Amino acid sequence: MYSSIIKLLLVGVIFSITITCVDSLSSITTSPIDTYNVPNLNQKVAIVTGASRGIGKGIALELGRAGCTVYVASRSARSTGFISTERDLGEDNKDCTVESTADEINNMNGNGRGIPVPLNVKNDDEIAALIDKVKNDCGRLDAVVCSAFTTPPDLNDSSFRDDFWKQGAEMWNACHDVGLRGTYMTCCESVPLMIETAKKYDTRPLIAVISSFGGKSYTFNVAYGVGKAGCDRLASDMAVQLSKHNIDTVSLYPGVVKTEGNLEMDKRGEWAAASGGLNLNMGETPQFTGRALATLLSKPDLTSKSSGDVVVVAELAKELGFTDSDGRIPPSIRNLKFILPSFVFPQIEKQSGAPVPAWMTENVPDFLLPWSIFSSGPPPTAD
C-alpha cells in the first residue's frame, strides 16, 4: 500500500490534472472501430507455451491468423487425456487443450497452421524434444513466446494476497517453477535454432516473455512479484548476449485480461476478493496480447530498438494504432483512465456516500504515471 503521504500527493496530482483538462476534453463518444490490420507472417515459425487457454491461446490464435506455423504447447491435451484442473474454467471451457487451439488456427482462412504439442515446461527433456521437432519439421524458429504459468494456490479468495510467511514454499514454487524456470529452459533450448534462423534467413527472431505489472510494483503477493521481476530481468539480460546474434527479446505486459478463468471467477463472485478490486470490465481479451506480439514480429526495426525492454500491450497499441477485437484500446494499468475508475473513484464514493459526478468520470485525462511513481509502491485496493 502506498504511504498516506504518497497517496494524498498522488490523488492531488490526479485531480489537479483532471480539473485542468475537463474544459478541453470532449465528452462526445463514438462507437469503437477495429483498426487492427493483420500483418503478413507467412513462412514464420513460432512456439507458444501455455497455449491451451488464456493469454497463450490468444497469442497462438493471432500468430496463426497472421500466417505463422504455430507449435501450440501446453500440458492440457486430448491425446494424453490430461486436462489441467488447477482452476475451474466453467462448463463452456471443458476443451481447453492444445488440439482445440490448433483446430481454431487450422479452421481460419489463410496460411497459418496450428500444430498441437503436449508439453510440460517443467520437463527439460520435453522442451528439447519440441525444439528437435521444430528443427526437423521446419528448419527454422522465428518466435518463442513463453506464456506457461502455473495457477497459484488460493487464487479464488483474498488469501492469494496474504503475507508471504503464511504462504511459504507452495506459493513460491507455483510462481517460479513454470513461470520463471520453465521460461528460462525454454529459451535455453530454443536459442541455438534461432541463431541458425537469423543467419540463414537474414531475419531477426524474437523471444517474448509474458510478464506483468507485478514486475514493476507490488502486486498480489511477494512470490508473484519476484517471479515477474525475474522474467523482466531474464528478457533484459538475454538481450545483452543475444544482440550479436540478431535475436531480440521483450518482456510483454498485458493488463487485466479476460481469460476463461478470470471470467469464470467473476461469474462466481470471487474476482473482487482475489484481485483486490480490479475492474474486469475494463480488461483486455487474450487476443489483444496476440495482436501486440504479431505486430512486433512484423516490425524488426522496432524490436531491435526495444530489445530487452518491457513493452506494455496497451501502450504499444496506442502508439501503433491497433485495437482489441472489440475496437477498443484498453487503458494501461498505469494510466489515469484505469487508476481513477478502478481505485480512486470507488474510494471517494464509499467515503462520501455519493456517486462521483459524471463530468469527472467521463473526462479522465489520458495520462500515464511515470514508472518512478507507479513502481514506488502498490496501488490502492478496493478493500
Side-chain angles (χ1 to χ4, degrees), residues 330-344:
S332 167
I333 284 180
R334 65 183 179 120
N335 195 309
L336 295 188
K337 284 184 173 291
F338 183 88
I339 294 174
L340 266 68
S342 297
F343 302 117
V344 179

Side-chain angles (χ1 to χ4, degrees), residues 95-328:
D95 189 27
C96 284
T97 61
V98 291
E99 290 89 355
S100 176
T101 302
D103 287 347
E104 287 192 47
I105 294 172
N106 293 328
N107 289 332
M108 295 175 181
N109 294 325
N111 298 316
R113 285 197 305 147
I115 301 173
V117 180
L119 173 74
N120 185 348
V121 297
K122 291 174 67 174
N123 187 314
D124 300 347
D125 293 336
E126 290 185 18
I127 299 172
L130 170 58
I131 305 305
D132 286 342
K133 176 176 175 57
V134 173
K135 185 172 184 177
N136 292 333
D137 290 351
C138 304
R140 66 185 293 169
L141 179 57
D142 298 272
V144 172
V145 184
C146 300
S147 186
F149 188 74
T150 299
T151 302
D154 300 321
L155 184 64
N156 61 342
D157 58 47
S158 59
S159 58
F160 178 53
R161 297 184 289 117
D162 211 341
D163 298 323
F164 73 89
W165 58 92
K166 299 174 184 176
Q167 295 177 328
E170 186 179 17
M171 183 65 72
W172 180 271
N173 293 339
C175 291
H176 296 174
D177 283 356
V178 169
L180 187 53
R181 186 191 183 280
T183 293
Y184 175 74
M185 290 307 302
T186 300
C187 295
C188 287
E189 295 291 346
S190 301
V191 161
L193 181 53
M194 300 181 90
I195 292 174
E196 291 181 21
T197 301
K199 290 178 180 178
K200 183 175 180 180
Y201 297 99
D202 190 26
T203 187
R204 296 191 70 91
L206 177 66
I207 295 175
V209 178
I210 305 305
S211 185
S212 85
F213 284 89
K216 292 286 189 182
S217 180
Y218 179 93
T219 305
F220 302 136
N221 62 58
V222 171
Y224 179 87
V226 172
K228 293 307 181 184
C231 286
D232 294 350
R233 188 58 187 258
L234 177 62
S236 175
D237 286 5
M238 286 193 302
V240 174
Q241 296 189 348
L242 291 175
S243 61
K244 62 181 177 288
H245 298 292
N246 294 323
I247 298 173
D248 299 321
T249 69
V250 294
S251 184
L252 207 56
Y253 279 19
V256 177
V257 183
K258 299 176 183 177
T259 63
E260 302 91 345
N262 288 347
L263 289 171
E264 189 63 24
M265 286 177 68
D266 194 44
K267 287 181 184 178
R268 296 196 302 265
E270 300 168 351
W271 172 255
S275 69
L278 295 175
N279 187 347
L280 193 58
N281 291 328
M282 296 177 64
E284 309 164 0
T285 70
Q287 285 81 0
F288 193 43
T289 303
R291 291 180 170 197
L293 204 290
T295 301
L296 285 171
L297 193 56
S298 71
K299 296 182 179 295
D301 290 344
L302 178 60
T303 58
S304 65
K305 292 178 181 177
S306 59
S307 186
D309 292 346
V310 164
V311 175
V312 179
V313 171
E315 295 170 24
L316 181 71
K318 183 183 176 185
E319 176 187 350
L320 300 182
F322 66 86
T323 64
D324 204 342
S325 55
D326 60 3
R328 297 184 309 122

Side-chain angles (χ1 to χ4, degrees), residues 12-22 25 336 363 365 367 369:
V13 169
I14 288 171
F15 277 98
S16 296
I17 294 171
T18 303
I19 293 171
T20 301
C21 295
V22 164
L25 292 173
L336 295 188
N363 292 293
F367 180 82
L369 289 184

Side-chain angles (χ1 to χ4, degrees), residues 33-53:
I33 299 174
D34 190 347
T35 60
Y36 177 65
N37 293 315
V38 181
N40 183 352
L41 300 180
N42 293 345
Q43 309 303 320
K44 291 191 180 293
V45 178
I47 291 172
V48 183
T49 67
S52 63
R53 67 191 196 206

